[in-house]
Amino acid sequence: MPTVRRMKTKMVLMGEGGVGKTSLIRRFVLNEYQDTYLHTIGTKVSKISLTVPYGADVEVQMDMSIFDIMGQHGFRDLIRETYFHGAQAIMAVCDVTRLDSLSALDEWIPSALEISGDVPLYIVVNKKDLLDRRAFTDEQIQKIAEPFAAPWVLTSARTGEFVEDAFNGLAIEIVDRAMRTEQARAVERGLREKILVLLTKRGTIGLKKAQFFEILRGVSYDELQRELNALEKEGNVVLLWHGPADFTATITKKGADEGARSASPLEE
């Protein structure tokens, strides 16, 4: 069975009013479409649970909050600090029948990235079902996307075409970014910190000897035993022996406080 990890994420949608942000969210979360203009007043938050595979052995259970913002510029400027703060992905939406909605992304995107930092960004060109009224070319979309190295996709909230692909693609990017960050931190951490972080995530369940070696590839028994003995003497870890060479290690409150300082956005 794959290892299950858990993650809470925040995705934000942005773009001019009337481009279909609310309809895209409704299609993805509820698989519904309402054939009237859904005017967003202020901001709305929708929640959905996703299962995102990572490689062959890891499965991430993601609780995603999707933020929908009113398209007026004055409102965006008023609340952008709180709206974009903590976002782990951004979906920039425009309307294939309105050139002004594409051009406006040149202002929306830098404003968002200034607050969120370097997070995955997709440009979603909505209303693919109205391609006969198309107002701009692929080249014009690429011109907007290229400075931000952003992929782009044509979607239709009305028919559902490529809507799941856009949201799921960003979810995969979030997980991939989090995993790579975690792995980079793990390389930098010493064995002591790795053990504390692992046991903090496991809580009262702890880790058995065999599980340590599954996770900490390349660590010898002597290295592991030496570090665990030191941590036990300091009151950070409790070792429960099941025989002369088998044990379960659990974290104490003191050890958890130290381990929490190095915790990742992903949970076991």
Side-chain angles (χ1 to χ4, degrees):
M1 289 182 63
T3 300
V4 176
R5 311 289 299 275
R6 289 179 173 80
M7 187 179 188
K8 293 182 179 180
T9 61
K10 175 181 178 180
M11 180 189 295
V12 300
L13 274 72
M14 64 185 185
E16 297 294 278
V19 297
K21 300 186 296 294
T22 304
S23 294
L24 285 166
I25 295 170
R26 188 183 185 93
R27 173 61 75 184
F28 180 61
V29 174
L30 302 173
N31 195 26
E32 294 177 355
Y33 179 76
Q34 186 172 327
D35 200 14
T36 56
Y37 174 44
L38 303 172
H39 182 61
T40 301
I41 306 298
T43 61
K44 294 180 181 177
V45 182
S46 302
K47 296 181 183 293
I48 189 171
S49 296
L50 304 173
T51 299
V52 183
Y54 182 80
D57 304 319
V58 177
E59 192 175 85
V60 177
Q61 299 293 332
M62 179 183 290
D63 293 324
M64 177 183 283
S65 297
I66 307 173
F67 284 63
D68 182 10
I69 188 175
M70 186 165 68
Q72 282 67 21
H73 285 259
F75 183 76
R76 177 200 70 190
D77 295 336
L78 182 67
I79 59 93
R80 75 183 188 116
E81 292 280 346
T82 52
Y83 183 74
F84 294 117
H85 179 73
Q88 288 150 292
I90 294 171
M91 186 177 288
V93 184
C94 63
D95 177 342
V96 74
T97 71
R98 290 171 47 196
L99 178 58
D100 70 294
S101 70
L102 175 66
S103 302
L105 295 185
D106 252 343
E107 296 180 24
W108 279 98
I109 294 174
S111 179
L113 294 178
E114 184 181 351
I115 305 301
S116 69
D118 180 22
V119 298
L121 165 72
Y122 275 20
I123 292 177
V124 171
V125 184
N126 194 35
K127 305 189 183 180
K128 187 175 186 288
D129 51 290
L130 300 178
L131 276 178
D132 57 325
R133 292 163 47 190
R134 182 171 188 162
F136 47 82
T137 65
D138 287 359
E139 289 72 20
Q140 287 171 291
I141 303 170
Q142 188 61 33
K143 187 176 179 181
I144 295 291
E146 194 168 348
F148 308 104
W152 62 270
V153 61
L154 280 161
T155 65
S156 171
R158 180 187 295 273
T159 67
E161 190 173 6
F162 294 122
V163 174
E164 283 197 9
D165 300 73
F167 281 96
N168 288 334
L170 273 172
I172 291 168
E173 288 282 346
I174 292 171
V175 169
D176 185 63
R177 184 79 60 96
M179 286 292 194
R180 285 189 280 116
T181 299
E182 182 181 81
Q183 289 161 4
R185 287 176 182 167
V187 169
E188 297 170 359
R189 287 196 291 256
L191 180 57
R192 171 195 173 88
E193 192 171 2
K194 291 178 185 177
I195 292 171
L196 286 173
V197 170
L198 286 170
L199 291 178
T200 298
K201 293 174 182 176
R202 298 287 290 184
T204 56
I205 299 173
L207 275 175
K208 296 181 179 179
K209 170 186 165 185
Q211 292 173 309
F212 274 112
F213 292 118
E214 287 175 8
I215 299 168
L216 301 173
R217 304 287 185 180
V219 174
S220 71
Y221 178 78
D222 288 342
E223 288 174 315
L224 178 63
Q225 193 60 54
R226 185 166 54 248
E227 204 63 63
L228 285 170
N229 285 340
L231 287 167
E232 187 176 37
K233 287 179 182 177
E234 295 168 12
N236 291 313
V237 166
V238 174
L239 295 179
L240 177 63
W241 289 89
H242 308 299
D246 194 18
F247 59 83
T248 297
T250 58
I251 197 80
T252 66
K253 185 180 184 307
K254 179 183 176 184
D257 289 342
E258 185 174 339
R261 289 192 285 270
S262 304
S264 118
L266 287 160
E267 305 168 4
E268 293 288 354

